[in-house]
Amino acid sequence: MTGQGPKHDPRGDDGPPPPDSGMGMTALSYLLTGMLVWGGIGWLVDHWVGTRGIFAGIGCVVGIGGGVYLIVRRLGA
């Protein structure tokens, strides 16, 4: 049919997403997951030893440090 252009996506994005579009969510998930996992391990150690939150706090700090390490190592930030 003459006079008609190619059909476009109604949302307005015709191409694939940029290659680095998920880096922010990846970085956030590394931080949160590290804090939750190592904080949970610290909580279990607290429960086993009988202390009140000492190892959970240490575990959260270690988890955040590990998350930052992963962000720098894998994402190159």
Side-chain angles (χ1 to χ4, degrees):
M1 302 194 177
T2 60
Q4 291 182 346
K7 291 187 177 184
H8 293 288
D9 191 6
R11 294 175 293 161
D13 54 345
D14 292 329
D20 295 336
S21 62
M23 287 181 67
M25 289 303 291
T26 301
L28 182 65
S29 66
Y30 283 160
L31 288 175
L32 289 177
T33 303
M35 186 176 67
L36 289 173
V37 168
W38 287 102
I41 291 171
W43 179 80
L44 289 173
V45 171
D46 276 331
H47 187 69
W48 183 58
V49 174
T51 56
R52 288 189 166 275
I54 300 297
F55 292 105
I58 292 171
C60 286
V61 171
V62 168
I64 290 172
V68 170
Y69 173 76
L70 283 176
I71 291 168
V72 171
R73 180 80 175 177
R74 292 189 179 177
L75 300 179

